[in-house]
Amino acid sequence: MLFSARDGSVPGASWAWKKVLRFGIVFLFVVGFAAVLWPSVDSVKLPLQTAPNITLATDIACDLDYDRLASMNVIKVAQYTRREVILDMTDEPVPYTQWLEQPLLEEPKGTEGAADGCSIPAPVSLRVPQPRKLADASHIDFGVATSVERLNESLDAFAHWAGYTRTRIFALIEPDRSETGIRDVKAKADGLGINLHVIESDDDYLNRYFALIPLLRENARETTQWGCIIDDDTFFLSMSRLVDALAKYDHTTSMYIGGLSESIRQIAAFGIIGFGGAGVFLSKPLMTEITNVYDKCSAMDFTGDRRIAICVYRYTQTRLTVDHRLRQLDLINDASGFFESGREPPLTVHHWKSWFHADMPKLAVVSELCGDSCLLRKWHFGDGWILTNGFSVIKYHADPDQDDVAMEQTWEAHNGADDESYLHELGPLRRKDDHKQTFQLLDAVHEPNDRVTQWYVKRDEWNGDQVLELSWRKR
């Protein structure tokens, strides 16, 4: 039989097209139905991981704060030790270094270890002076040249020494391009009890630094005695001790008070000046003298703290009064020997988040219980471990004698400095103990139940970190 292409009479064509058409109609109906009635489903989001995986040694059965461990970058725990510290307050003089027979990290004789494998059940009692009353520093004004961002970062540190002391801080900042930066900083300062005044200036940093002097003089009150120029990383350990120290100087005369660098090399480079990071104190009469010659001094090529010194030397008869408790801390990488020396703590420290790292706001948290005078106090325990409060827990490979007052020279030489370069400020010195074991303070918090908890960590990337948790309370 012949089939004609003209009438489309190909075998099965009509049946096939009808089948495809029916299938298409059904498919479109199903898809439309699903689009209308199927519930909308958001993209699946995994829950945020609040802490990375942390590996524990098999004998650690106690409950741990994994978020806290993660914040300290502890991911492998070889040992976790908890111990309670009871503060015995006394009105009697207390040496900065005390030698005790009882151990710190070993179980005391006659006691049984805790079932959780973490806690030492017997608390340790430590003697400290009674905290002093909050200082009134309304006669001291501080000036700092910085940016709004750095100022915001510095407020937690400022709060330790400036909060609720009636002192004033004048911050001369570069113009703030944000709409809320200054407002937010001032609100945070108010919440911390800091009397902060923020002024914007188009001058560069070094000119703003020198401009702080006439700014402080113009805003001085009748009761103002001192103006102090600081860096935004200058930290005062105790406002009470600072007030006492300044009281021994005659604020009614022209006085220029500061600290030298710890390195002769730095002094050779910059001269006999008050190094700015340690804090430069100017009496009101001297601020008046400098303000009167401000145009001459601001035109000099010298910058920063050196411009202040050269201005004072060229145009007044005042000379630097060195207070060795004002610390520039020109120490590279490891300043632990300075902090662990057991000597009377300085008035100021500097470079604590640049040349070396020591978290001063965390260090100061324990003062909420025992006051500023208990910071950096040193207890030498019977098992050889030494607690420097707020900084570290260490054990020397070669334990110095009890009457050894030398400072361990842990820092690296800077700018060609030799050992003798540091003797004028820090001597006597002894060599670094390369085998010293160290638990470093990494966190501290003031608890609602009027306790302070500190976390010290001994790093060991291979075997896992050891963590010491000290919980402080008053008797």
Side-chain angles (χ1 to χ4, degrees), residues 31-265:
V31 170
F33 179 85
V36 173
L37 299 181
W38 198 268
S40 61
V41 178
D42 293 333
S43 58
V44 176
K45 296 180 180 179
L46 296 175
L48 292 177
Q49 190 171 355
T50 58
N53 292 328
I54 296 176
T55 304
L56 304 181
T58 56
D59 59 345
I60 300 176
C62 55
D63 292 332
L64 301 181
D65 185 342
Y66 295 104
D67 289 342
R68 181 82 57 182
L69 291 173
S71 70
M72 299 186 295
N73 196 30
V74 175
I75 58 176
K76 184 178 181 181
V77 185
Q79 184 178 358
Y80 199 101
T81 304
R82 286 192 177 113
R83 191 155 199 195
E84 185 179 46
V85 179
I86 300 176
L87 290 165
D88 283 331
M89 308 289 189
T90 177
D91 294 320
E92 300 177 358
V94 181
Y96 275 96
T97 299
Q98 300 172 53
W99 291 69
L100 309 176
E101 293 184 0
Q102 65 188 118
L104 176 64
L105 299 185
E106 298 175 2
E107 298 284 351
K109 293 181 179 179
T111 63
E112 296 182 0
D116 64 4
C118 292
S119 301
I120 297 177
V124 58
S125 296
L126 299 180
R127 194 161 57 102
V128 296
Q130 288 283 358
R132 298 180 58 177
K133 294 181 180 178
L134 191 65
D136 182 352
S138 56
H139 59 297
I140 311 172
D141 289 334
F142 294 87
V144 59
T146 185
S147 66
V148 69
E149 293 83 6
R150 289 179 63 94
L151 180 60
N152 183 62
E153 294 171 357
S154 300
L155 288 181
D156 289 333
F158 288 177
H160 169 71
W161 52 270
Y164 303 101
T165 61
R166 300 180 64 195
T167 191
R168 297 183 297 174
I169 299 177
F170 291 86
L172 199 53
I173 68 168
E174 59 195 24
D176 176 30
R177 307 303 180 189
S178 69
E179 296 181 0
T180 62
I182 294 177
R183 185 187 66 194
D184 291 346
V185 163
K186 294 184 72 173
K188 181 178 178 179
D190 289 343
L192 294 171
I194 301 172
N195 190 346
L196 177 66
H197 302 262
V198 182
I199 303 95
E200 295 178 87
S201 170
D202 289 323
D203 280 342
D204 61 26
Y205 168 76
L206 295 174
N207 287 325
R208 279 186 284 121
Y209 185 94
F210 189 67
L212 288 168
I213 297 175
L215 176 65
L216 292 177
R217 183 62 189 93
E218 292 165 8
N219 288 277
R221 299 174 286 199
E222 185 177 349
T223 56
T224 300
Q225 298 177 1
W226 302 97
C228 179
I229 311 300
I230 61 173
D231 289 350
D232 54 24
D233 61 344
T234 302
F235 188 89
F236 294 84
L237 273 81
S238 170
M239 182 61 84
S240 296
R241 292 182 61 242
L242 177 62
V243 169
D244 290 347
L246 291 176
K248 297 179 180 179
Y249 298 112
D250 186 358
H251 66 88
T252 65
T253 64
S254 289
M255 292 214 68
Y256 168 42
I257 303 171
L260 297 175
S261 172
E262 290 75 17
S263 171
I264 288 290
R265 292 289 186 175

Side-chain angles (χ1 to χ4, degrees), residues 334 396-398 408-410 431-437:
D334 183 0
Y396 291 110
H397 177 70
E408 183 188 8
Q409 190 171 339
T410 56
R431 297 183 64 179
K432 181 179 181 179
D433 187 337
D434 291 322
H435 301 288
K436 178 176 68 176
Q437 301 180 61

Side-chain angles (χ1 to χ4, degrees), residues 148-403:
V148 69
E149 293 83 6
R150 289 179 63 94
L151 180 60
N152 183 62
E153 294 171 357
S154 300
L155 288 181
D156 289 333
F158 288 177
H160 169 71
W161 52 270
Y164 303 101
T165 61
R166 300 180 64 195
T167 191
R168 297 183 297 174
I169 299 177
F170 291 86
L172 199 53
I173 68 168
E174 59 195 24
D176 176 30
R177 307 303 180 189
S178 69
E179 296 181 0
T180 62
I182 294 177
R183 185 187 66 194
D184 291 346
V185 163
K186 294 184 72 173
K188 181 178 178 179
D190 289 343
L192 294 171
I194 301 172
N195 190 346
L196 177 66
H197 302 262
V198 182
I199 303 95
E200 295 178 87
S201 170
D202 289 323
D203 280 342
D204 61 26
Y205 168 76
L206 295 174
N207 287 325
R208 279 186 284 121
Y209 185 94
F210 189 67
L212 288 168
I213 297 175
L215 176 65
L216 292 177
R217 183 62 189 93
E218 292 165 8
N219 288 277
R221 299 174 286 199
E222 185 177 349
T223 56
T224 300
Q225 298 177 1
W226 302 97
C228 179
I229 311 300
I230 61 173
D231 289 350
D232 54 24
D233 61 344
T234 302
F235 188 89
F236 294 84
L237 273 81
S238 170
M239 182 61 84
S240 296
R241 292 182 61 242
L242 177 62
V243 169
D244 290 347
L246 291 176
K248 297 179 180 179
Y249 298 112
D250 186 358
H251 66 88
T252 65
T253 64
S254 289
M255 292 214 68
Y256 168 42
I257 303 171
L260 297 175
S261 172
E262 290 75 17
S263 171
I264 288 290
R265 292 289 186 175
Q266 291 292 94
I267 296 174
F270 298 103
I272 304 295
I273 68 173
F275 279 73
V280 177
F281 288 85
L282 310 169
S283 63
K284 189 191 291 187
L286 183 58
M287 287 194 291
T288 300
E289 288 189 76
I290 294 175
T291 300
N292 290 338
V293 294
Y294 175 76
D295 290 341
K296 295 179 180 178
C297 293
S298 61
M300 295 189 304
D301 292 334
F302 305 104
T303 56
D305 46 16
R306 197 173 182 210
R307 181 182 289 178
I308 294 176
I310 301 302
C311 183
V312 170
Y313 296 156
R314 282 189 178 177
Y315 297 104
T316 80
Q317 296 185 32
T318 303
R319 294 298 175 263
L320 176 67
T321 297
V322 177
D323 192 314
H324 298 279
R325 297 167 293 181
L326 300 173
R327 290 298 189 186
Q328 175 75 359
L329 285 194
D330 286 336
L331 307 178
I332 296 293
N333 289 338
D334 183 0
S336 61
F338 174 84
F339 289 99
E340 295 165 352
S341 66
R343 301 178 186 177
E344 182 178 352
L347 293 175
T348 57
V349 297
H350 180 231
H351 284 151
W352 51 276
K353 51 183 178 179
S354 53
W355 287 37
F356 61 90
H357 292 279
D359 194 330
M360 300 309 296
K362 294 293 185 184
L363 181 150
V365 168
V366 73
S367 66
E368 298 289 339
L369 286 187
C370 52
D372 299 332
S373 62
C374 78
L375 298 179
L376 297 179
R377 283 191 175 270
K378 191 173 174 180
W379 290 275
H380 193 297
F381 291 88
D383 55 2
W385 288 102
I386 303 169
L387 166 63
T388 299
N389 194 11
F391 186 78
S392 68
V393 177
I394 65 171
K395 178 184 279 190
Y396 291 110
H397 177 70
D399 206 351
D401 295 334
Q402 189 166 343
D403 59 353

